[in-house]
Every structure is written in C-alpha cells, then in structure tokens.
C-alpha cells in the first residue's frame, strides 16, 4: 500500500461500549439524586422521604435502597425501560412512572405499601406478568395502565379488577359494583354457579360443567293424581336437584298480609256509631 493510500484511509473512531453508556447513565442519575437531596436540604439519607426526578432524560436510575424512609417518588417523563432500582424501599406509598418506555415492572412486588401507582403511557404488553407483579399489593387503591399495549385487550379492565380487588380507581375511573359482579361471572365460573344455585335453603350440585345440560322432559298427559293449577309449570325432572336449580333461577314472590286498622272502628266509634260499620279489610303487600 502506498503512502498516499494510507493517508486517504478514514480514521478509526473509538466506539463507546454498552457498559460505558450504562455507567454514564447511572452517573447522571446519581448526580440528579444528589442535586435533589441538596435542594431539599437533607443531610442524612434517613431524612429523605421524597425525590422529584421527573424530566431528567434518565435511562437508568441508581439503587435507591439507601433511602429507607422514601415515601414519594416522581420519575415520570423520562426514558426508563425497567424499575430494578427499587428493591428495599418498603415504605414507598406513591410512585409516578408514567410517560416512560417501561416494558416490564419486575421488582414492584417489593413495594407492599404502595397506595398510588401511575404507569400510563409506557410499553407494557404482558397482562399476565403485570398482574403477577401487582397481585400482592393489598394497599394499592389507585392504578393507571392506559396507553399501554396491554390496555387494548378486550377484557383488560375486568381482568385487572378481578386480580386486584383492592383497587378503587383504575385509569381515573371508579371501579363500580357492576364491574365487580361481572368479573365473577366471567373469570370465576364455579363461584358464579354456586351463587346462582342457592334457593330456598337448598343447593344443587355445585360442580361446574359447562357442557352438562339439565335433564328434563315434557309430558303431554299427566297422571290423574297430579292436581296442578293451570299457572304451575308442569315440567317433570329426572333429578330433583335440577328442579331446585331451575326454581333458583326464578325470583321468589313474598306476600305479607296485615289488617288495615283504618277500617276497624274504635270502641268509642262503635258506641257513638260515628263511623260506618263496614267489614274490616286486609292489606296484602307483595315483594319480589
């Protein structure tokens, strides 16, 4: 190779390794944490109960386990992909992670005290993994997951309500009693079957088999000793439990009969004959 050819070769630029990029990202987050601690005027880590780290262009965050009493953490509007930095912040009650690029939330189960968790506008796709991570949070009341790919699932909202019964506000909408009832019907067929099978102190076989049909037969001619009224269902069942089940599907009618005391004259009225002496009347109240 000639000297001229050597001089025309492009210079080799040093490439930054992924490890170096990660180290720089962690260094940037550490600097952001230290700046916030100084702004709050905290001298000891034990005195830090809140950190505002939003809009810092963070892609990584240093381990925050040094802040044992941390309760409020703002990390929204960054470029985070995960939350592995939250491992021992057991007192954290409010966590704001919305508007990031988070695709997994592994590690959140270490935060049993969370009351508010905002995760909207992220990249969560796996509903099962998300629910598994949040399932143990008994104190979680407010949760937002909208504008994630998993929120496009048809039964997404009822799935979250079913697995996280303690959540009261989901995606800024109150969880209704109707939704709580619907989740049982959709996701817990056996429990729904038991609820529907209870009637008049009796209960049918609670084993759930969607393919099992009630065995019944219609008869065109009934025996002479069947003294049924015209308004009574004349269906004959092979299994008595099937009859109980069918009746449980129909609402019961309860009638309460009482004397209408306004039609009964008092002793003075009887003596003075100031009130017309009609026969007493009965009042019947029907409840379904």
């Amino acid at each position: 190779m000639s000297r001229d050819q050597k001089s025309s070769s492009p210079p080799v630029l040093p490439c930054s390794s992924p490890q170096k990029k990660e180290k720089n990202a962690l260094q940037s987050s550490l600097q952001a944490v230290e700046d916030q601690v100084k702004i709050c005027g905290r001298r000891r880590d034990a005195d830090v109960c809140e950190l505002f780290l939003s809009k810092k262009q963070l892609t990584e965050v240093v381990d925050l386990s040094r802040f044992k009493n941390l309760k409020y953490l703002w990390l929204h509007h960054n470029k985070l992909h995960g939350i592995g930095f939250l491992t021992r912040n057991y007192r954290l009650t409010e966590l704001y992670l919305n508007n990031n690029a988070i695709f997994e939330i592994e590690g959140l189960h270490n935060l049993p005290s969370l009351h508010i968790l905002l995760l909207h506008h992220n990249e969560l796709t796996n509903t099962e993994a998300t629910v598994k991570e949040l399932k143990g949070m008994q104190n979680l009341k407010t949760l937002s997951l909208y504008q994630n790919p998993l929120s496009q699932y048809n039964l997404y909202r009822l799935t979250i309500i079913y697995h996280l019964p303690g959540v009261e506000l989901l995606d800024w909408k109150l969880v209704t009693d109707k939704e709580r009832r619907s989740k049982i019907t959709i996701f817990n067929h056996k429990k729904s079957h038991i609820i529907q099978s209870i009637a008049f102190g009796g209960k049918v076989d609670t084993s759930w088999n969607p393919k099992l049909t009630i065995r019944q037969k219609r008869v065109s001619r009934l025996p002479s000793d069947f003294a049924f009224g015209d308004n009574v269902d004349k269906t004959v069942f092979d299994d008595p439990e099937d009859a109980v089940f069918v009746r449980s599907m129909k609402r019961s009618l309860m009638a309460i009969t009482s004397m209408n005391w306004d039609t009964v004259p008092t002793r003075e009225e009887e003596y003075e004959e100031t009130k017309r002496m009609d026969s007493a009347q009965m009042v019947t109240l029907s409840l379904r």
Side-chain angles (χ1 to χ4, degrees):
M1 182 180 292
S2 64
R3 186 175 179 179
D4 295 338
Q5 289 176 330
K6 289 183 179 180
S7 61
S8 62
S9 300
V12 179
L13 298 176
C15 60
S16 57
S17 62
Q19 293 81 2
K20 188 174 181 180
K21 288 183 178 180
E22 183 179 355
K23 183 178 180 180
N24 292 337
L26 290 174
Q27 188 64 33
S28 298
S29 68
L30 177 60
Q31 186 62 47
V33 170
E34 296 299 336
D35 291 343
Q36 285 299 310
V37 171
K38 289 180 181 179
I39 291 174
C40 296
R42 309 300 184 191
R43 296 184 178 181
R44 300 184 308 163
D45 292 344
D47 296 330
V48 177
C49 63
E50 60 182 15
L51 282 175
F52 190 83
L53 300 173
S54 66
K55 300 181 180 180
K56 303 291 185 182
Q57 299 296 314
L58 300 178
T59 57
E60 298 285 345
V61 178
V62 294
D63 187 9
L64 299 177
S65 59
R66 54 188 266 209
F67 304 112
K68 304 295 184 182
N69 296 318
L70 186 63
K71 291 186 177 181
Y72 312 100
L73 179 59
W74 290 270
L75 281 165
H76 54 287
H77 288 89
N78 281 297
K79 299 178 180 179
L80 302 177
H81 296 284
I83 52 170
F85 49 88
L86 294 171
T87 55
R88 298 184 180 181
N89 302 101
Y90 305 120
R91 297 187 179 182
L92 196 64
T93 58
E94 296 184 14
L95 179 57
Y96 303 89
L97 291 167
N98 51 290
N99 296 86
N100 277 282
I102 297 173
F103 57 87
E104 64 177 2
I105 56 173
E106 185 177 355
L108 273 184
H109 66 274
N110 295 314
L111 308 174
S113 300
L114 271 186
H115 288 184
I116 298 176
L117 175 60
L118 303 189
L119 279 165
H120 53 275
H121 285 281
N122 277 287
E123 301 298 329
L124 298 174
T125 58
N126 192 328
T127 305
E128 183 178 353
T130 301
V131 166
K132 182 179 179 181
E133 199 67 28
L134 301 177
K135 214 169 183 180
M137 295 184 180
Q138 302 297 328
N139 298 310
L140 188 61
K141 303 299 181 184
T142 301
L143 174 66
S144 69
L145 290 168
Y146 64 92
Q147 292 298 325
N148 278 280
L150 61 82
S151 66
Q152 303 302 315
Y153 173 51
N154 290 335
L155 296 177
Y156 143 77
R157 183 174 174 87
L158 290 180
T159 301
I160 299 298
I161 294 172
Y162 175 70
H163 291 286
L164 303 174
V167 172
E168 299 174 354
L169 189 66
L170 178 59
D171 296 341
W172 305 118
K173 293 181 181 179
L174 286 173
V175 177
T176 64
D177 293 337
K178 182 179 180 180
E179 289 176 321
R180 296 191 187 279
R181 291 192 299 267
S182 298
K183 67 170 186 176
I184 297 177
T185 304
I186 296 174
F187 297 101
N188 196 335
H189 299 296
K190 186 173 182 180
K191 184 174 180 180
S192 176
H193 179 63
I194 292 175
I195 293 174
Q196 295 293 332
S197 66
I198 299 175
F200 307 105
K203 186 166 69 67
V204 302
D205 183 11
T206 58
S207 59
W208 172 253
N209 185 356
K211 297 181 180 179
L212 182 62
T213 57
I214 299 176
R215 299 184 304 275
Q216 59 180 346
K217 58 182 180 180
R218 301 287 296 186
V219 292
S220 56
R221 184 176 181 181
L222 295 174
S224 58
D225 56 340
F226 275 51
F228 291 126
D230 293 336
N231 61 337
V232 178
D233 186 5
K234 300 179 178 61
T235 303
V236 177
F237 296 86
D238 292 336
D239 189 346
E241 288 190 349
D242 290 341
V244 176
F245 178 76
V246 170
R247 191 169 186 183
S248 69
M249 296 296 102
K250 301 177 182 178
R251 293 185 178 273
S252 305
L253 181 65
M254 181 174 61
I256 301 175
T257 303
S258 177
M259 177 70 70
N260 184 0
W261 293 103
D262 292 336
T263 62
V264 179
T266 62
R267 182 181 295 273
E268 294 180 357
E269 291 173 342
E270 289 181 355
Y271 179 78
E272 297 177 359
E273 296 184 356
T274 58
K275 190 170 187 178
R276 186 178 178 181
M277 301 298 291
D278 294 332
S279 59
Q281 300 177 2
M282 303 293 290
V283 176
T284 302
L285 177 64
S286 300
L287 300 175
R288 184 174 291 278

